[in-house]
Amino acid sequence: MAENHVSTTNACKMCTPMGASLAFRGVKGSMPFIHGSQGCATYMRRYIISHFREPADIASSSLGEKHAVFGGAPNLKKGILNVTEKYNPEMIGIASTCLTETIGDDLKMITTEFLSEFADLDLPHLVTVSTPSYSGTHLNGWKLAVRSMIEKFAGSSPALTADNTINIFPNFLSPADIRLLSGIFREYGLKTMILPNISDTLDSPSWEEYINIPEGGTSVNEIALAHRSGASIEFGYFHKGESAGSYLEENFSVKNYNLLPPVGMRATDALLSAIEEITGLERPQRFVNERGRLIDALVDGHKYINFKKALVYGDEDFVVSMVSFLCETGVKPVIAASGGKADLRKRIEAICEGFCPCPLVLEDSDFDTIEIAAADIKPDLMIGNSKGFKISKKLGIPLIRAGFPIHDRFGGQRIITTGYEGALSLLDLIVNTAITTLQEETRVGYGYM
Amino acid sequence: MTLSILKERKDQVVERINGNETVSCSRESLAGAVSQRACVFCGSRVVLYPIADALHLIHGPIGCAAYTWDIRGALSSGPELHRLSFSTDLRERDIIFGGEKKLEAALDELITRHNPKAAFVYSTCIVGIIGDDLGAVCRKMTELKKIPVIPVQSEGFKGSKREGYFAACKAMFTLVGTGKPENISPVSVNILGDFNLAGEIWIIRDYLKKMGVEVVANITGDGRVDDIRRCHGAALNLVQCSGATLDLAKMMKEKFNIPFLRVSYLGIEDMAESLYIVADHFSHIDKDIEEKTRQLVKTELEQIMPEIKKIREELNGKKAAIYVGGAFKAFSLVKAFRRIGMSVVLVGSQTGTDEDYRELAKITDPGTVIVDDSNPRELSDFIVKKGVDVFVGGVKERPIAYKLGVAFCDHNHERKIALEGFTGMLNFAREIHNSVTSPVWKFHPARLSRVEEKSSEVCCG
Ligand code: SF4
Ligand code: SF4
């Protein structure tokens, strides 16, 4: 089977600095900067723009041949000065690339040197993250960037008394999902520090005039206070050294709750329970009602979708959380595939326990492998990003688009999957997909379903 | 109004006054400026990608391959191997111990699985650093697998897209002359520099067919390895666009003595002119060819002109901005906009040459801003300052235009609508018309403030 191919065909992942750049986008006044040759930054921008339909400026140190030989430090420094002059950012988030990691550029050292060389200037904060793509995916880059910001800023303001702010490390969710999540906390009357907060920066209103850096995002000052928050909630799986939540717990005793991204009933329940455990607050009636509506809809829809087989693919956290939700609806996940690595089999097994048999789990995989598996297992529907369209078309399996990137549909930045609301909207899509198939397959073309 | 141009870029931007201006160009992108440029690899990939029955293996870490998977609308009438994205997906141990073994194994398995007619192996930045001997691996695999396995020296940092074009031409040139040039008409051409976006090469082939001209090889849109191997049998090369394949034409001229003509299929004037020079070239062999060409142009024009005239009435006096990859395309676009009654107030390219910018300065109206290797900030400033109604560019420029309330037409490699040929001119006019006349601009804050500024100008002035 394709799992032991040497080469990768149609990757189901993106590269590390792209994840880092996206995460840096969620900080107020921040400018992502890729230390490498020009191509990487341009390609990533194009990729990001096609999904979000937003300007996505990412600066690059534009290394040429001589820099690759003699080191990229001079260009990096020049680049920082130029970005500072042109964009006047509060922070520059610098990610390395395969190239600069291999030639041995040390970002921390170069930026420290830079800051002392130009100590007389009013310079932005410089955050660096080491992101060679040969050892990770975009999701690792994202998490590492968040962690490096926390390491850099948290605790840099004096710790006043703890307050009731909750740190949220949402991981890679859509801007609409981030808005939805902050709404949940607002309903409890809580203050949050969401890092990164891409809800406005990657989904901004029309402009009246040119804006250098999109408005919104969490400010460096807010991040600097993260160590005195009441608790942290982080979503997803973190390899060693990736979790900002654990860093705060280890260094500042801020209790960290590691949860599944809140997709579906159980994961949303877990989120609300965690909030209530942290704060001692009661559940707002709104969520009781929303949950009730979700159950009602699950019941209304169950006969259309029970036993339907699903293929789920995308980044590792998306896959696990989506499998969790599907189990609850009666849809049977039969293939769960990701280009990333995150101890998937064990976690998916645990999640399916009591609901359905564990699907075929493909880790560190590509779309070619997924296609071979899908041709064999014949799922009824697929859930994932646009890159699965080729398989969907070839094998005639309807595709429900969610995750990143959405390059062949409109509104990828507005897809919601989290909370009871997100679950409801996903459920509608799934049931309607099943109904569409039913309607198309019967010659009568029933008008009532 | 002061424009935000970085100091070091000052001479890469000029405003046309008398048509003798020059723009400084062909520089490395400035560190820290958000350049819209790509890399050498990107250039090679653009040119070779449409060869549909070849295997395209990207030797490097995953990103370079992931971001270029099926992003261009280069159509094929047969095999579609080019639409898959193959990568050696290098990992840490390959970086430390070298990637040659992995490359070899990858080629072995992929050639066995897909049976391509040839394989192109692209090197990316990192390969240039870890020092894999691409040539050696390719030679070995050529022997073993009995198909041409061709290295493309496209390490990203070794220049800009243009160096990538050259690397691609060099790679293709190793194929040219290896096939049998039998049964080829003396009235025959190769089409160079058309990538069959949205099926454009089929439009051009159809015109040539009507003129009685045989097309030997498409280079590279809807391209086939075997055609390229025998394309030295053609009597003439037609080279389109900003020279992505110009180097190949030059190599073929030198080695096989095949002349070439530079053509453009964009806009009515350039399209017709291109067909006429082809007819002229062959008129000593085929006496009727010029008449056939005139007829063809006439029929085509009759079909599109009524609608274009209507569109022109509605667009008259509007202003356009152009920012494209190569400057040659910009020449045609300037003329195409005149056709629909619009003037171009800003024009620029990522990779134009000195000569290109001189030409642009000549053909544009006074006051037109001309830029080389621009960035979002600069482009936006000009858009606002010049009161642009529609922007022509690529996907990276689209959000800037939309955020600032400016209509947009995608004229890049990702386009899904054919813009070449006479039909293409009509499509182009429709595209512009479609975006410019939308009611959505009425709500746009940037447009509303423009209107306010204007009306206050009027009452104060
Ligand atoms: S690594 Fe080099 S070849 Fe690959 S995208 Fe970046 S600049 Fe281009
Ligand atoms: S070289 Fe590395 S960082 Fe650049 S695009 Fe390729 S994988 Fe991404």
Side-chain angles (χ1 to χ4, degrees):
Chain A
M1 160 117 187
E3 268 180 276
N4 35 32
H5 282 162
V6 183
S7 56
T8 295
T9 302
N10 301 342
C12 184
K13 60 181 173 184
M14 287 135 267
C15 74
T16 335
M18 179 159 90
S21 305
L22 282 166
F24 286 138
R25 247 297 154 251
V27 175
K28 185 160 178 282
S30 140
M31 181 72 183
F33 189 116
I34 290 183
H35 183 41
S37 28
Q38 181 63 52
C40 310
T42 302
Y43 273 138
M44 291 175 211
R45 289 181 54 221
R46 203 203 125 269
Y47 209 82
I48 293 169
I49 288 170
S50 299
H51 173 91
F52 291 100
R53 294 170 193 266
E54 291 285 316
D57 286 10
I58 300 176
S60 159
S61 44
S62 281
L63 299 188
E65 193 155 14
K66 57 178 187 292
H67 315 110
V69 178
F70 299 113
N75 255 38
L76 176 54
K77 292 177 185 172
K78 227 164 111 188
I80 298 172
L81 286 175
N82 278 335
V83 168
T84 305
E85 183 189 327
K86 195 80 181 268
Y87 286 85
N88 191 21
E90 283 170 44
M91 181 194 112
I92 302 179
I94 309 165
S96 61
T97 56
C98 307
L99 175 67
T100 49
E101 287 291 329
T102 311
I103 61 175
D105 278 1
D106 181 340
L107 290 185
K108 271 223 168 77
M109 213 180 75
I110 300 172
T111 48
T112 312
E113 231 175 67
F114 172 86
L115 288 174
S116 65
E117 270 168 48
F118 295 96
D120 53 322
L121 294 181
D122 185 16
L123 292 167
H125 299 283
L126 303 179
V127 179
T128 62
V129 59
S130 161
T131 44
S133 253
Y134 43 75
S135 47
T137 69
H138 61 295
L139 214 59
N140 302 109
W142 176 293
K143 290 167 186 170
L144 287 166
V146 173
R147 164 93 174 209
S148 67
M149 289 190 274
I150 285 292
E151 283 185 17
K152 167 120 189 153
F153 299 124
S156 62
S157 293
L160 306 169
T161 43
D163 75 1
N164 63 355
T165 301
I166 295 182
N167 301 324
I168 304 169
F169 303 111
N171 216 328
F172 199 172
L173 295 171
S174 76
D177 268 328
I178 303 296
R179 285 195 287 270
L180 191 149
L181 282 174
S182 55
I184 291 180
F185 286 86
R186 220 176 308 121
E187 189 75 25
Y188 280 99
L190 292 166
K191 280 195 294 185
T192 50
M193 193 291 297
I194 303 178
L195 187 65
N197 188 342
I198 57 167
S199 59
D200 295 321
T201 54
L202 283 171
D203 192 11
S204 73
S206 276
W207 300 343
E208 199 158 332
E209 54 189 33
Y210 187 78
I211 296 174
N212 252 336
I213 296 177
E215 280 158 26
T218 299
S219 71
V220 170
N221 289 340
E222 291 170 83
I223 307 173
L225 295 173
H227 62 298
R228 58 173 200 143
S229 292
S232 305
I233 296 179
E234 65 178 13
F235 299 128
Y237 179 88
F238 295 82
H239 293 94
K240 203 170 167 315
E242 281 183 350
S243 157
S246 330
Y247 173 83
L248 289 173
E249 185 166 88
E250 282 153 26
N251 292 279
F252 299 99
S253 313
V254 182
K255 192 166 169 28
N256 182 37
Y257 290 76
N258 178 279
L259 303 176
L260 201 62
V263 179
M265 178 86 76
R266 289 176 295 168
T268 306
D269 288 350
L271 170 63
L272 301 190
S273 304
I275 297 173
E276 287 149 19
E277 188 185 309
I278 296 164
T279 61
L281 292 167
E282 297 261 307
R283 182 157 306 188
Q285 189 56 37
R286 185 184 129 194
F287 299 133
V288 177
N289 295 349
E290 276 180 14
R291 189 173 193 277
R293 269 196 291 275
L294 176 59
I295 297 173
D296 192 56
L298 282 168
V299 171
D300 289 342
H302 78 279
K303 286 184 79 175
Y304 297 105
I305 58 176
N306 202 19
F307 295 121
K308 289 271 183 271
K309 295 181 290 183
L311 156 60
V312 183
Y313 62 88
D315 74 52
E316 46 275 35
D317 292 327
F318 173 87
V319 168
V320 178
S321 57
M322 196 55 73
V323 164
S324 168
F325 171 57
L326 291 178
C327 291
E328 299 164 357
T329 66
V331 171
K332 303 277 170 287
V334 285
I335 304 169
S338 176
K341 283 193 239 177
D343 201 7
L344 280 181
R345 196 176 315 260
K346 215 168 89 215
R347 295 165 60 226
I348 290 179
E349 232 164 56
I351 273 163
C352 294
E353 177 83 50
F355 284 88
C356 62
C358 183
L360 170 68
V361 176
L362 301 171
E363 219 173 0
D364 193 6
S365 191
D366 61 12
F367 278 107
D368 198 44
T369 312
I370 298 173
E371 182 179 324
I372 294 171
D376 183 37
I377 299 177
K378 300 193 176 58
D380 301 298
L381 59 104
M382 302 169 51
I383 301 183
N385 58 55
S386 282
K387 301 298 162 188
F389 173 66
K390 194 179 154 290
I391 299 179
S392 152
K393 187 168 178 205
K394 185 162 168 193
L395 302 180
I397 308 168
L399 169 60
I400 294 170
R401 286 166 182 80
F404 177 86
I406 305 297
H407 285 164
D408 68 340
R409 281 293 183 276
F410 186 63
Q413 70 278 47
R414 290 185 291 271
I415 294 175
I416 55 166
T417 57
T418 57
Y420 301 124
E421 265 183 76
L424 258 178
S425 114
L426 270 174
L427 181 69
D428 286 347
L429 281 172
I430 296 170
V431 172
N432 283 329
T433 303
I435 291 180
T436 306
T437 309
L438 204 66
Q439 206 168 28
E440 279 167 4
E441 275 173 0
T442 51
R443 211 169 44 82
V444 205
Y446 293 108
Y448 273 102
M449 298 300 288
Chain B
M1 172 173 185
T2 54
L3 291 171
S4 44
I5 302 166
L6 287 171
K7 268 188 244 84
E8 298 185 38
R9 279 191 39 74
K10 280 258 148 67
D11 53 353
Q12 282 175 283
V13 177
V14 301
E15 187 149 351
R16 183 196 183 280
I17 303 161
N18 54 20
N20 295 322
E21 290 76 13
T22 59
V23 181
S24 178
C25 57
S26 303
R27 289 198 193 162
E28 270 176 25
S29 292
L30 185 60
V34 180
S35 167
Q36 310 288 74
R37 272 186 190 167
C39 60
V40 181
F41 161 68
C42 176
S44 296
R45 182 95 170 112
V46 172
V47 172
L48 298 174
Y49 164 78
I51 304 175
D53 55 356
L55 180 93
H56 300 268
L57 173 62
I58 296 161
H59 186 36
I62 199 62
C64 322
Y67 304 135
T68 51
W69 174 19
D70 204 19
I71 60 175
R72 296 174 189 273
L75 305 186
S76 165
S77 54
E80 293 204 319
L81 193 51
H82 67 303
R83 297 187 63 188
L84 301 181
S85 158
F86 302 112
S87 167
T88 45
D89 195 355
L90 294 180
R91 304 296 170 91
E92 197 134 19
R93 59 173 184 280
D94 309 314
I95 304 301
I96 298 167
F97 300 110
E100 289 178 25
K101 278 223 171 62
K102 191 167 191 185
L103 174 59
E104 217 177 285
L107 278 167
D108 189 26
E109 98 185 345
L110 289 171
I111 293 173
T112 305
R113 280 169 63 201
H114 295 285
N115 251 318
K117 290 278 191 236
F120 291 102
V121 183
Y122 302 77
S123 63
T124 57
C125 286
I126 209 164
V127 174
I129 299 297
I130 60 176
D132 283 358
D133 188 344
L134 222 60
V137 175
C138 288
R139 276 193 299 277
K140 184 170 170 194
M141 296 316 286
T142 301
E143 214 156 286
L144 208 73
K145 306 306 273 186
K146 309 272 180 276
I147 59 161
V149 179
I150 305 160
V152 186
Q153 300 293 351
S154 53
E155 292 89 341
F157 59 76
K158 292 197 169 156
S160 75
K161 251 162 130 175
R162 245 190 290 147
E163 284 76 12
Y165 297 155
F166 184 64
C169 289
K170 260 175 50 185
M172 271 191 289
F173 193 56
T174 63
L175 286 174
V176 176
T178 59
K180 289 202 185 87
E182 290 161 352
N183 304 325
I184 294 176
S185 152
V187 182
S188 58
V189 298
N190 297 311
I191 302 179
L192 276 70
D194 190 295
F195 306 115
N196 201 29
L197 307 170
E200 287 170 341
I201 212 168
W202 297 326
I203 299 176
I204 307 306
R205 283 185 70 117
D206 178 55
Y207 295 159
L208 291 169
K209 193 173 163 202
K210 286 181 179 147
M211 290 161 58
V213 179
E214 176 183 340
V215 178
V216 181
N218 297 342
I219 299 174
T220 54
D222 196 14
R224 299 291 181 276
V225 172
D226 285 344
D227 293 343
I228 297 172
R229 300 179 78 145
R230 68 195 278 270
C231 74
H232 57 301
L236 176 68
N237 280 330
L238 302 181
V239 187
Q240 183 181 230
C241 193
S242 291
T245 51
L246 187 60
D247 293 313
L248 181 66
K250 287 181 180 161
M251 293 174 203
M252 286 175 71
K253 177 150 197 248
E254 192 159 309
K255 183 158 177 196
F256 301 102
N257 207 16
I258 302 174
F260 65 84
L261 292 174
R262 294 196 74 170
V263 293
S264 166
Y265 310 129
L266 296 171
I268 291 173
E269 285 84 358
D270 287 0
M271 182 67 241
E273 173 66 18
S274 298
L275 296 180
Y276 285 136
I277 59 172
V278 174
D280 181 55
H281 183 88
F282 289 117
S283 58
H284 66 288
I285 307 176
D286 178 353
K287 285 189 302 304
D288 304 329
I289 191 168
E290 291 186 305
E291 182 49 33
K292 276 186 275 185
T293 309
R294 263 192 296 278
Q295 271 311 320
L296 167 80
V297 172
K298 187 163 167 267
T299 323
E300 292 289 330
L301 285 181
E302 276 165 9
Q303 273 167 24
I304 62 167
M305 282 322 282
E307 190 175 338
I308 288 185
K309 282 210 185 96
K310 260 221 274 334
I311 289 175
R312 185 191 165 103
E313 273 160 32
E314 283 183 60
L315 294 181
N316 210 1
K318 303 251 187 241
K319 294 177 194 163
I322 300 170
Y323 190 74
V324 286
F328 216 71
K329 178 150 71 183
F331 303 158
S332 298
L333 284 171
V334 170
K335 293 180 221 165
F337 270 116
R338 285 209 181 106
R339 259 291 154 181
I340 50 175
M342 296 177 63
S343 60
V344 173
V345 292
L346 162 69
V347 57
S349 81
Q350 287 169 30
T351 57
T353 61
D354 193 36
E355 207 183 314
D356 293 336
Y357 289 116
R358 276 177 215 277
E359 175 71 20
L360 272 178
K362 239 181 260 153
I363 63 171
T364 47
D365 299 328
T368 303
V369 175
I370 304 172
V371 294
D372 174 58
D373 185 23
S374 195
N375 54 59
R377 178 74 220 253
E378 235 173 61
L379 291 173
S380 322
D381 281 346
F382 288 126
I383 288 178
V384 173
K385 182 186 166 213
K386 292 284 178 183
V388 167
D389 294 292
V390 67
F391 191 97
V392 180
V395 169
K396 290 192 295 294
E397 284 80 46
R398 185 180 59 200
I400 310 174
Y402 285 174
K403 283 289 182 211
L404 291 169
V406 175
F408 183 78
C409 168
D410 183 1
H411 211 300
N412 219 323
H413 286 270
E414 284 130 70
R415 62 178 183 258
K416 306 292 180 298
I417 294 170
L419 299 176
E420 287 182 1
F422 300 104
T423 344
M425 177 65 203
L426 179 56
N427 288 340
F428 175 71
R430 282 178 181 160
E431 272 279 282
I432 301 293
H433 182 252
N434 174 350
S435 189
V436 170
T437 58
S438 165
V440 297
W441 310 121
K442 291 195 207 309
F443 303 105
H444 201 291
R447 278 300 186 91
L448 293 173
S449 61
R450 261 203 227 170
V451 173
E452 269 163 35
E453 257 173 49
K454 255 196 202 145
S455 55
S456 68
E457 262 169 36
V458 173
C459 46
C460 306

